[in-house]
Structure formats: C-alpha cells, structure tokens
Amino acid sequence: MNSETVMNLIKDWRVALVLLLVVGSLVGIYLAPPSPEKGLEGNLQFGLDLEGGSWLQMEFQSVVVAYSTDGPVGDLVGDLRTSLETEVIQIDENHLEIRKSVSRADLEPIFAESGASIVTYQEGVSAFTADEVKRILNEKVNALGMQDARINLLTPTGSEYPQYVRIELAGVDMATAQEIAGKQGLFEIRVQTTGNETEHVLYGDQITSVGVPQRDPATQTWGVGFTLSETGAQAFREGALESGAVDNPGAHHLVMILDNETVYSAPLDAGLAAQLRSGPVRSLSASTGTGDAGLEDAMTLEIHLRAGALPVQVDIVGSGSVPAALGEQFKMTVAIAGLLALLTVGVVVYYRYREPAIVLPMIATNLAEIVILLGIARFVIQLDLATIAGLIAVVGTGIDQLVIITDEVLHEGRVPSPNLYMKRYGRALGIIAVAAATVFIAMLPLALMDLSTLRGFAIITILGVLIGILVTRPAYGKIIMAILSK
C-alpha cells in the first residue's frame, strides 16, 4: 500500500479507534504511573503463580441452622448465646448463624430446652458474614499497599453457604500472609476535652462484641452497636465525666482511631450522657447517618470496631507458596509460549494465502488485540496462568475469525466488486457474531462464579470476544478492503 492509502486508512474511524486503544493501553501499562524499573512487565499485575508468593485457605468455624419454634425467637437466640458463649445472628425468620464450630448433637438439647427444633444444619457462614470477611481482608491488604491480593469465597458442592476463604498474596512470604490474616490493628477511643485536644479513654481490647449495622425505625439512622467489658464501661464513664462530656455532650466528640487514623468522630449523645451520670453503660451504639451512605459508613465502622478481626473464627486448613524464582521462570515460559503461538499462527496463515500483504495485517490486528487486552487487564485483573491461557485462546479464535472474513471476501480466489465485497463482508461478520455470542454465553457463568482458577480465563476470553466484534474486526475489514482494491 502507498502512503496515500495508509493515510486514508488512519483517517477511518475504525482503524483510528484501534490505534487509539493500542496507544492508550501502552500508556497504561508503561506510563501510568511510570515504572521503568519493571522493564517489559510495566504496570501489569501478576498473580501468585507468576509473581511468587503465598496462599492460605481458611475454614469458617461457624454453622447455619434452619429451625422451627413455638416460642419467641429472642429467647432461643439468648439461650444459644449464653450456653455457647458466642455470637448468634438471625439471618432471616427461619435461619440462625452460630459463630462457633459446634455439632448438631450438641445443639439439639439447647434447642429442645427453648422449645425449638433443628430443621437443617450446615457448616459455613451466611452470605452477609462471608461478604464482611472479604471486606475486612480487602481492607487489610489494601492498607498495606498490596494490590496483588486475591480473596475468594469457596462453597462446597451441595451446600448453600460459603465454608472456606482463600487468600492469595503475590510477592508475600508465608509468615507475613499469616500475620495479615490474623493480626488486629490498634483501636482506641478518645474523648475531646478542649479545642482539638483529646484524651485516651480505652483500647479495642475492652470491646467484647460488635453487632451488625442496624437502622433505627424512628429516625431511619444507621448505626453499629458494640459492647464494652465492665472495666471498659467504667473507663468510658470516667473519661466522659472528667472531660465534661456528660455536662455538655454536644461540645465533646468521641473519636475512634485505628492505627493512628481517625475512623469516626461524633458528639456524645445526650441520652447516653444522662445514663452515664448514673453509672457505667456497657452497650453503646455509634450512628453513621441515613440512606445508602449511612449504611456504607456503618458497614465500614463495624470493620474498624473489630480492629481488623474477622467476625467469625477461622482455622487455616491449607497453605502453600510459590518461590519468586519459580514465578520468574513461569513468566519466561509463558512469554515464550505466547511468542511461539503467534509465530505459528503467522506461518500457517502465510502457507494458506502466500501473500504478505494479507498475512501482515492479520498478525498486526491480532497483536493489537492482545495489547488492548493487556491494557484493560492492567486495571481489572491479575495475570496468572489461567488468564494467559485465555490470551492464547484469544490469539487462536481471533485468527480464525480474520480467516473467515478473508476467505469470504476472496470467494473462489477472485477480488469482488465494492458492492459484492460489502455483502460478503456482512455475511462473514454475521458468522463471527453468532460464534462470539456462543463463546460469551458459555464463559459468562464462569466469569460470574467466584472460582479463582477459571474466572480469569473466562473474563479474558469474554473481553477478547467483545474487543474483536466491536473494534478489531471492523478495522480489519476496512484494511483488507483497501488491500484488495489495490
């Protein structure tokens, strides 16, 4: 093609879009932010098997029970809390979450004494608790600046409730991984005295339990309840009295601090101040506001009140690590495999057409597609062996679709007229769209499921299909039309 033809192609919006996305992807990989020390890897995020690191699989020490009772549910919950000395959460009108590993045989006498019976018994946690555990672990790893963490909830076959959580930390040794999973932060409550001055009241070890976010029916305000130990309640009362917060609650904020960062600040409630004049108060509640914003703040505050402790005990039932040197070896192997795949595809396509003017645009289009995929992956997903397999699959399916377009417009080896070209090109796109829709439908369940080994493969495959149909196939159609016209 001469320079005039090339310029006309660049001006076409389909080709220009591909070039713009390729440039944007390269900028995202290498220049946002700049990372010259990483070389060809740029800002790409690599998973455990390519970066090296550690993984932990932890089992929830909790059970979910469906029950029937003739008496008040509150009495049953109270009896369970007293007998088992653990938190019991009512999931809905028929299910309880008991945050302790306890057998059905040990539970049945307690239910019977409360006039209730067990309908079903399953190990695991409710969806709410599982999401809370995931939020807490995410906050922990994000607070430490670890962007290459992956946290997955695992539900055994035949069960309704997640029973395990798996955390993968690329570039982290096993000791650090275990510390992240189990270590609590330093939580402190202080009271405002005068001006911006505050005075220590108590530490987080005086908080004996933390409730789930609740909305006040009267004010529609969200809040989180928590309970103090006897010594904590006494320290809280003394701090409120000495600071003057009991006499003028509106002018004295209670400040909650986690690892030297303020996470909550609000004036002492007037009703609580009145109670504190009479004696210590163990059950407290922190209000966070109304609406969705109030709920979000309440959920975050609950995590802070726990100081990073998980709402349910977990036991480590599996662990492993990938040495950094082995991860580097995997990266090199993957890079060689990808290069060989691209070269092999190029050789096969050249053998079919024996025309570099057709083969080179095919390979360039396929390569542009991979660069765009990597640019998107840099922001949304880690690269591991499964996602690399998805990239290689995209190379194969992409070339297949470009061959369909080329064969259709070169039917019987003759260059078609412009009108005939558009007709054949439209027919080829129809075939490709049906095939792409089939792949999209097949991969969608895997992309939505929380399966660490398959989700990345499915996401990359779906993204490859969408980029091909919406961006690169139309651009290739315009390019091959320009080539055939010459």
Side-chain angles (χ1 to χ4, degrees), residues 180-232:
I180 290 171
K183 182 181 178 182
Q184 289 185 240
L186 179 61
F187 185 85
E188 180 186 14
I189 295 180
R190 301 181 68 88
V191 62
Q192 181 183 359
T193 54
T194 57
N196 292 325
E197 298 293 325
T198 60
E199 184 176 286
H200 169 77
V201 176
L202 57 89
Y203 288 112
D205 57 2
Q206 298 292 338
I207 298 175
T208 58
S209 66
V210 180
V212 297
Q214 299 283 347
R215 184 165 57 184
D216 188 326
T219 62
Q220 298 298 305
T221 301
W222 287 96
V224 181
F226 57 100
T227 305
L228 301 177
S229 64
E230 290 184 8
T231 56

Side-chain angles (χ1 to χ4, degrees), residues 143 183-190 198 200 203-204 255-264 304 307:
K183 182 181 178 182
Q184 289 185 240
L186 179 61
F187 185 85
E188 180 186 14
I189 295 180
R190 301 181 68 88
T198 60
H200 169 77
Y203 288 112
V255 183
M256 299 182 184
I257 300 172
L258 178 61
D259 290 335
N260 297 319
E261 181 180 346
T262 300
V263 296
Y264 180 84
H304 294 324

Side-chain angles (χ1 to χ4, degrees), residues 101-386:
S101 181
V102 56
S103 68
R104 180 167 182 163
D106 291 336
L107 285 176
E108 285 177 339
I110 304 175
F111 274 77
E113 289 177 6
S114 301
S117 61
I118 297 176
V119 178
T120 62
Y121 168 97
Q122 290 189 52
E123 296 180 343
V125 295
S126 64
F128 175 83
T129 300
D131 289 340
E132 188 177 16
V133 167
K134 197 168 182 178
R135 278 169 55 91
I136 292 172
L137 290 175
N138 271 319
E139 287 228 351
K140 283 188 174 185
V141 297
N142 289 335
L144 295 174
M146 297 179 183
Q147 302 300 319
D148 296 337
R150 175 181 289 173
I151 300 167
N152 294 288
L153 301 168
L154 305 177
T155 304
T157 304
S159 176
E160 298 178 42
Y161 304 102
Q163 191 174 345
Y164 303 94
V165 59
R166 179 185 172 99
I167 177 171
E168 298 178 1
L169 297 168
V172 175
D173 60 79
M174 182 59 68
T176 304
Q178 292 178 345
E179 184 179 2
I180 290 171
K183 182 181 178 182
Q184 289 185 240
L186 179 61
F187 185 85
E188 180 186 14
I189 295 180
R190 301 181 68 88
V191 62
Q192 181 183 359
T193 54
T194 57
N196 292 325
E197 298 293 325
T198 60
E199 184 176 286
H200 169 77
V201 176
L202 57 89
Y203 288 112
D205 57 2
Q206 298 292 338
I207 298 175
T208 58
S209 66
V210 180
V212 297
Q214 299 283 347
R215 184 165 57 184
D216 188 326
T219 62
Q220 298 298 305
T221 301
W222 287 96
V224 181
F226 57 100
T227 305
L228 301 177
S229 64
E230 290 184 8
T231 56
Q234 183 62 39
F236 185 83
R237 180 172 184 264
E238 291 175 359
L241 289 170
E242 292 174 1
S243 65
V246 169
D247 299 322
N248 188 9
H252 295 270
H253 280 227
L254 292 178
V255 183
M256 299 182 184
I257 300 172
L258 178 61
D259 290 335
N260 297 319
E261 181 180 346
T262 300
V263 296
Y264 180 84
S265 178
L268 182 68
D269 180 73
L272 177 58
Q275 295 180 53
L276 289 172
R277 288 194 185 93
S278 303
V281 178
R282 293 189 61 187
S283 297
L284 304 174
S285 180
S287 299
T288 57
T290 59
D292 293 339
L295 172 59
E296 183 70 22
D297 290 343
M299 295 172 69
T300 302
L301 179 60
E302 179 191 0
I303 295 173
H304 294 324
L305 284 168
R306 297 183 186 279
L310 300 180
V312 59
Q313 181 183 342
V314 294
D315 286 350
I316 297 175
V317 295
S319 63
S321 60
V322 178
L326 186 57
E328 290 296 327
Q329 183 179 340
F330 283 159
K331 284 182 190 176
M332 182 61 67
T333 303
V334 163
I336 294 173
L339 183 60
L340 287 176
L342 196 61
L343 290 175
T344 302
V345 165
V347 170
V348 171
V349 171
Y350 181 79
Y351 179 79
R352 178 176 180 80
Y353 296 107
R354 309 294 178 90
E355 178 55 61
I358 293 178
V359 177
L360 291 178
M362 272 193 184
I363 301 301
T365 301
N366 212 229
L367 187 59
E369 194 169 321
I370 297 301
V371 171
I372 295 171
L373 271 176
L374 289 175
I376 296 174
R378 173 258 185 276
F379 294 100
V380 300
I381 195 171
Q382 291 180 358
L383 294 178
D384 54 17
L385 294 179

